[in-house]
Amino acid sequence: MRASTWLTIILIAPFVASALAPLLARRVASRWVGVASAAVALAAALALASALPQVAAGESLSATWRWVPALGVEIRLVLDGFSLFFALIVTGMGTLILLYASAYLGPDEDHGRFFAYMLAFMGAMLGVVLSSNLAVLYVFWELTSVTSFLLIGYWYHKEGSRYGAQKALLITAGGGLAMLLGFVLLYVEAGTFDLAGLSTQATQIRQSPRYPLITALVLAGAFAKSAQVPFHIWLPNAMEAPTPVSAFLHSATMVKAGLYLVARMVGVLGGTELWTWLVTGVGLASLVWGAALALRQTDLKALMANSTVSQLGLIMSLLGIATPAALAAAVFHTLNHAIFKGSLFLVTGIVEHETGTRDVRRLRGLARSMPLTAAAAGLASLALAGVPPLNGFVSKEMFFEAAWHFGHDRAGLAWLAPALAVLGSSFTMVYALLFFHGVFLARGGSSHDGAGHDPGWSLLGPPLLLGGLALVVGVGPQLVSGALLTPATSALAGAWTSVEAGLWHGLTPALAMSGAALAAGLAGYATRHRWVAGLPQMPPALRLDTWYDGFVRQLPAVADRLTRAHVTGRLSDHLGSLVAAVLLLWGYVILRLWGLEWRSASLGAIEPFDVALTGVMAASALATLAVRSRLGMAAALGGVGMPMAVLFVSLRAPDLALTQLIVESIALVLFVLAFRHLPPLVHRPVGTCRRAASAALSIGFGLSMATLTLIFTSHRVWPSIAPFFLETSLPLGGGRNVVNVILVDFRGLDTLGEITVLAIAALAVAGLMRRPARRHGAGPDERLAFPPLVTEDLSDAAPSSNAAPSSKVASPGGLERA
Amino acid sequence: MNEVILRTTARLAVPTTVVYALYLLLRGHNEPGGGFIAGLVSAAALTLMRMAGMGLAHPSADRRRKRWDFASLAPLGLLVAALTGIGAMLAGRPFLTSAVVALDLPVLGHVEMASAVLFDVGVFLVVVGTAMTIVERIGTSR
């Protein structure tokens, strides 16, 4: 199999599985959907792992599918060291978490829907890390936002879920739009969307006057996605999702998409003062602020969410420093964070499953009742705190070292970096102990002391395995450094960078910083009751949550006021405002074009037949004003539409004529159907002013339309494209009907857009207008769309003799079965 | 309106109209016709069926079966159209590139088909789905 096909299959497989999941749930037992999904993830992980030797040797695999060559958009999948590293995290964590989720979700939950979303997310995330073309990367990026929205809102009956889902979507997609603008500006600057192509022009991009704007826009998207200060507010609310979702999307993978992008951009936008200070500053702020927020939480999941903000900040600050050593630390910590934080979330899920609460103040001494869960929790939380010999310690050492060098080399303000690093890490130690010691080891004083017991293996296996991994990677970092970290770091640094990770580096400033952070953390934990409450809090007026909530509340209110101003419940008002707006625009256009010379020669000849038809149309239009009944009006409108179809025939446009004819017929049916629901027509007297205004508007509209048509048809700025279509319709499009070839081939994308709008309209109608209540037997009171006329005869009278049962007329619609 | 007349007429008219719609759809690439028009003609036929209270489009037809819902036809058509476009990419051409295939079929003889006809089938399905959704929902009391 060619590498490109193989890569494409890996990317498409989760999406296919996602489409099949609900079917599997419905046809087979829903218990197996989760296991099957985990199998898909595992297969993808193994397939990716098979590329490890090649990638570790410095090769990269790629696949290219042409999409919109004219805009530089192509689906280019590239599997280099960094993509592979991320893809393995996504699929590996996915395997464990999907397995866990199949046991976590109760048997009554909708497994099909849940795993369909999870698999679609996994596919989207793989798309993000494999796409080399930024336009395509953006598509997958927003797909992860959408699947995240669906998963946070999985229990959509809960107010909190809906709020959290909306908040996450608004913030991450808003950031995503800014990022798209940044990508477009990059394209304008460099003429390519491809990451490799952008890297080669990095110098030129950094010197362009647009560089600060591009950097700000792209980083806004990344910061929003990775929940960095000041966009971190959505992550705690995202915890309304089922715990496996929090473990997968909101700690191990999706929130790291921002880090992924920033890491990729180091080679394009990095290396400048702006980049260094902005990324490092935001990262360190998130590190300290997230950790300080985590200290104050009483809900385990909220604690974990803020801890995630803090740990992502740590990695972000490393990407700002962007030396090869810092990049290596960032890559390593990304892996370690996925391992220990995933495990912590899964443990939290078990605790909630077993005890029914997530409140830190009520949970005590769980180590006695669930020793294995406690073991997993202990390994993971100590790794988070950076205690040797666990994996978190090793990567945190590298982080301290990078921060120390940053301060040492730049001096001055840069010394804040190591200081904040130690402060944030000591906070981390405090809440890690709060989680492990407080919940599992401390005794007494609570109804939940020693509650619950260890769950079955499908729940316990994944977090234990991850906890074990944290220990194994910590003791033997060389296991991952050669095969994973080195290729990943090299892909970012642009040169082969060998990553040396080890437990013992000798007596270095980093070791002192580690020691200081751990000691301060221990001391802080012992005395936490005295100082945690006194930590500075944001005043409500400055809190972003307050701003966000205000915005979300105000926006509909403003829209409401605007809408009320022109939608008054009278159709004529509504139409009037629309027509007036269009008239203003056209008036401007006409005034601008007025000076153009008129060439009546280019206008077609007018036949008497056409004149007669136009006369009929005008008369029918006037008749709609005179007629007094709805049906009469509909008929008069038909008198406008039908001659129009004939006019199309006379102008030799059979396709148009056919369409017009049928639209006219269906519209008439729709009118008649809708009339059944409308109250009797009342003719209110209309004031003279209103009459005059309406007349002025409609006459103006008609006149401007006619004028514009004349101007446009008599004056050509560019040569007509018609000959091109006529000549190439058969050789290029394979059809002799030029109109249709234009529709489905030359301008196929436009048609695709149009039918998308149509389909959305259909779904909107289906959603807004409820279907008839399905009851047994069509009773006479159930007003069907097309009630058999007999129903009305039977409803209030005995069947008359001519409707005898022996008659051959089958009575429609369930009357016999009623 | 006398129901007997309507039903008898519909019985003749509906199959004819549906066949005509398919004819319009398939010949649309070379003669007047195409997905939009064929979709509308089909919608007209289906509406006539419902007015006469016949067959699959009637809400109180066989209640044991789940009622056929036209709203799902529109996304399906969209999928067909999009997949046609993606098919071109699989052949290494840009999205939505059309290809012409010449086939020698029994009965029909030598037929040249453009892949765009498949795209047109998608358009057809979307139009039928949308038109019928609107007819059904508006025609039903709330």
Side-chain angles (χ1 to χ4, degrees):
Chain A
M1 197 181 334
R2 298 211 331 274
S4 59
T5 320
W6 169 87
L7 207 53
T8 311
I9 288 173
I10 290 179
L11 177 59
I12 291 175
F15 288 112
V16 175
S18 163
L20 294 177
L23 291 175
L24 185 69
R26 220 170 310 147
R27 297 263 177 273
V28 197
S30 73
R31 282 183 307 126
W32 296 107
V33 183
V35 179
S37 308
V40 172
L42 182 63
L46 292 175
L48 285 161
S50 71
L52 268 172
Q54 268 175 290
V55 173
E59 289 177 52
S60 66
L61 310 166
S62 69
T64 307
W65 306 101
R66 295 171 68 191
W67 187 3
V68 194
L71 296 176
V73 177
E74 55 178 9
I75 298 181
R76 216 167 96 76
L77 309 174
V78 174
L79 190 73
D80 62 1
F82 193 55
S83 301
L84 178 61
F85 167 79
F86 248 95
L88 280 172
I89 290 183
V90 171
T91 49
M93 292 300 291
T95 307
L96 293 176
I97 287 165
L98 289 170
L99 196 65
Y100 174 96
S102 66
Y104 180 88
L105 281 192
D108 317 335
E109 296 276 5
D110 185 352
H111 283 240
R113 189 163 60 93
F114 181 82
F115 287 103
Y117 294 164
M118 282 292 246
L119 286 164
F121 162 74
M122 196 172 89
M125 192 68 206
L126 280 175
V128 169
V129 301
L130 290 175
S131 298
S132 174
N133 188 296
L134 287 181
V136 178
L137 184 144
Y138 170 78
V139 173
F140 283 119
W141 178 281
E142 291 301 36
L143 252 180
T144 64
S145 291
V146 172
T147 44
S148 154
F149 168 84
L150 291 168
L151 282 164
I152 298 171
Y154 174 71
W155 287 313
Y156 50 81
H157 50 267
K158 294 199 317 199
E159 171 87 36
S161 294
R162 297 199 298 272
Y163 173 82
Q166 187 190 43
K167 196 172 187 176
L169 185 66
L170 282 176
I171 294 175
T172 53
L177 284 174
M179 187 181 85
L180 179 64
L181 276 178
F183 289 171
V184 171
L185 286 175
L186 271 175
Y187 180 74
V188 170
E189 202 62 50
T192 176
F193 277 120
D194 200 73
L195 275 168
L198 288 168
S199 304
T200 55
Q201 304 185 49
T203 326
Q204 181 204 325
I205 293 170
R206 283 173 207 153
Q207 283 160 357
S208 100
R210 290 203 193 94
Y211 170 78
L213 181 62
I214 293 174
T215 307
L217 287 170
V218 171
L219 286 178
F223 290 159
K225 196 81 167 171
S226 283
Q228 296 295 285
V229 170
F231 305 110
H232 62 289
I233 54 173
W234 66 268
L235 195 59
N237 294 98
M239 295 298 130
E240 293 290 341
T243 302
V245 175
S246 313
F248 193 23
L249 274 72
H250 305 124
S251 81
T253 57
M254 186 189 91
V255 286
K256 295 210 172 87
L259 297 173
Y260 173 84
L261 184 79
V262 173
R264 282 285 184 208
M265 283 292 159
V266 164
V268 179
L269 302 171
T272 61
E273 288 298 292
L274 171 75
W275 173 274
T276 307
W277 288 108
L278 192 58
V279 179
T280 312
V282 168
L284 288 169
S286 305
L287 166 68
V288 175
W289 191 244
L293 281 175
L295 285 176
R296 283 203 290 261
Q297 304 303 325
T298 52
D299 177 356
L300 279 180
K301 276 183 85 174
L303 189 152
M304 287 303 156
N306 286 301
S307 159
T308 303
V309 171
S310 160
Q311 293 290 305
L312 295 174
L314 185 157
I315 302 168
M316 194 62 86
S317 65
L318 284 166
L319 295 172
I321 295 169
T323 56
L327 291 177
V331 169
F332 196 14
H333 203 71
T334 301
L335 171 69
N336 292 336
H337 179 256
I339 291 173
F340 61 67
K341 189 56 67 64
S343 174
L344 284 170
F345 266 112
L346 298 182
V347 165
T348 304
I350 292 176
V351 168
E352 187 185 16
H353 220 258
E354 294 296 324
T355 64
T357 178
R358 295 198 309 246
D359 193 329
V360 182
R361 291 161 304 185
R362 294 167 63 194
L363 292 161
R364 285 282 177 276
L366 297 183
R368 276 186 313 136
S369 51
M370 29 176 121
L372 289 171
T373 311
L379 287 167
S381 48
L382 294 179
L384 164 72
V387 175
L390 294 150
N391 62 358
F393 167 76
V394 184
S395 48
K396 207 163 264 192
E397 282 268 273
M398 293 161 78
F399 163 60
F400 284 144
E401 194 161 348
W404 173 266
H405 280 300
F406 182 72
H408 188 268
D409 296 346
R410 291 171 175 256
L413 204 59
W415 278 113
L416 270 177
L420 288 174
V422 173
L423 180 67
S425 299
S426 46
F427 283 167
T428 310
M429 176 76 180
V430 176
Y431 67 73
L433 285 172
L434 195 71
F435 177 81
F436 181 50
H437 181 266
V439 171
F440 288 92
L441 302 180
R443 301 295 316 278
S446 162
S447 54
H448 285 73
D449 189 350
H453 43 74
D454 275 329
W457 279 109
S458 41
L459 280 179
L460 192 54
L464 259 184
L465 187 68
L466 288 168
L469 260 181
L471 182 60
V472 169
V473 172
V475 174
Q478 35 294 42
L479 288 173
V480 289
S481 60
L484 274 179
L485 306 182
T486 300
T489 312
S490 307
L492 294 179
W496 195 253
T497 315
S498 187
V499 178
E500 300 297 336
L503 265 178
W504 180 249
H505 289 286
L507 295 170
T508 56
L511 187 69
M513 289 162 78
S514 274
L518 293 179
L522 266 175
Y525 177 67
T527 58
R528 67 184 181 282
H529 300 297
R530 267 175 272 164
W531 61 274
V532 167
L535 280 175
Q537 297 221 31
M538 276 276 177
L542 285 180
R543 274 214 196 120
L544 277 147
D545 270 321
T546 321
W547 287 79
Y548 171 85
D549 288 339
F551 172 76
V552 170
R553 249 201 318 279
Q554 288 300 318
L555 191 68
V558 171
D560 205 39
R561 274 204 294 280
L562 278 175
T563 310
R564 270 172 213 284
H566 72 102
V567 184
T568 53
R570 284 184 77 164
L571 190 59
S572 52
D573 286 359
H574 189 190
L575 278 175
S577 57
L578 281 177
V579 171
V582 173
L583 206 52
L584 281 175
L585 267 174
W586 284 357
Y588 172 75
V589 173
I590 291 173
L591 288 176
R592 285 294 306 272
L593 296 178
W594 199 246
L596 293 178
E597 52 174 321
W598 285 56
R599 280 177 299 189
S600 51
S602 60
L603 295 176
I606 301 176
E607 307 284 334
F609 182 64
D610 303 344
V611 177
L613 278 173
T614 323
V616 174
M617 282 155 69
S620 307
L622 287 172
T624 51
L625 298 177
V627 177
R628 283 282 166 196
S629 75
R630 284 207 179 96
L631 207 54
M633 286 181 191
L637 271 183
V640 180
M642 289 297 179
M644 173 100 70
V646 182
L647 187 64
F648 284 144
V649 172
S650 125
L651 295 172
R652 288 180 303 179
D655 285 284
L656 269 177
L658 264 171
T659 312
Q660 173 72 20
L661 206 69
I662 296 159
V663 166
E664 211 49 54
S665 327
I666 292 185
L668 188 65
V669 172
L670 279 180
F671 272 129
V672 174
L673 288 177
F675 290 164
R676 299 173 58 247
H677 308 301
L678 294 177
L681 194 57
V682 182
H683 285 276
R684 280 180 297 186
V686 181
T688 327
C689 281
R690 202 182 163 80
R691 231 177 246 270
S694 301
L697 265 183
S698 40
I699 292 170
F701 189 79
L703 278 177
S704 60
M705 188 81 187
T707 317
L708 271 182
T709 311
L710 281 172
I711 292 178
F712 286 141
T713 47
S714 71
H715 192 93
R716 288 211 180 281
V717 183
W718 290 283
S720 166
I721 195 175
F724 166 82
F725 284 138
L726 288 169
E727 282 159 26
T728 55
S729 163
L730 192 56
L732 287 183
R736 284 188 304 277
N737 176 357
V738 181
V739 174
N740 205 55
V741 173
I742 291 174
L743 274 177
V744 298
D745 193 346
F746 287 128
R747 311 212 49 90
L749 194 65
D750 292 1
T751 309
L752 193 64
E754 277 175 35
I755 59 178
T756 307
V757 172
L758 265 183
I760 291 172
L763 293 178
V765 169
L768 289 172
M769 307 180 77
R770 276 192 307 117
R771 307 182 55 173
R774 269 199 250 157
R775 300 209 324 266
H776 290 289
D781 56 336
E782 185 183 351
R783 293 172 57 199
L784 295 168
F786 305 90
L789 296 173
V790 195
T791 329
E792 281 145 39
D793 298 343
L794 291 177
S795 58
D796 50 2
S800 50
S801 56
N802 58 8
S806 62
S807 79
K808 286 280 179 278
V809 184
S811 78
L815 266 179
E816 296 158 310
R817 290 194 299 273
Chain B
M1 165 123 51
N2 191 324
E3 220 197 323
V4 179
I5 296 178
L6 179 66
R7 291 173 62 81
T8 315
T9 318
R11 244 175 233 159
L12 282 171
V14 170
T16 321
T17 320
V18 170
V19 170
Y20 178 61
L22 292 176
Y23 164 72
L24 277 178
L25 170 67
L26 291 176
R27 76 165 198 166
H29 216 54
N30 294 315
E31 306 289 332
F36 269 109
I37 300 168
L40 286 170
V41 173
S42 300
L46 289 164
T47 311
L48 183 61
M49 260 170 103
R50 290 213 36 188
M51 288 174 103
M54 302 158 49
L56 93 155
H58 197 277
S60 56
D62 195 359
R63 289 189 174 281
R64 281 161 307 174
R65 277 220 316 271
K66 211 174 155 190
R67 239 195 74 198
W68 175 256
D69 189 6
F70 285 101
S72 55
L73 214 55
L76 182 74
L78 208 52
L79 190 68
V80 171
L83 285 178
T84 311
I86 291 170
M89 291 170 80
L90 293 182
R93 312 291 276 292
F95 184 58
L96 282 175
T97 310
S98 179
V100 185
V101 193
L103 296 169
D104 285 306
L105 294 172
V107 187
L108 297 176
H110 184 77
V111 183
E112 283 199 358
M113 288 277 276
S115 69
V117 173
L118 273 178
F119 183 84
D120 230 8
V121 171
V123 175
F124 167 83
L125 291 174
V126 173
V127 173
V128 174
T130 309
M132 284 316 291
T133 305
I134 295 172
V135 169
E136 280 201 341
R137 302 298 155 112
I138 288 187
T140 317
S141 60
R142 284 173 296 290

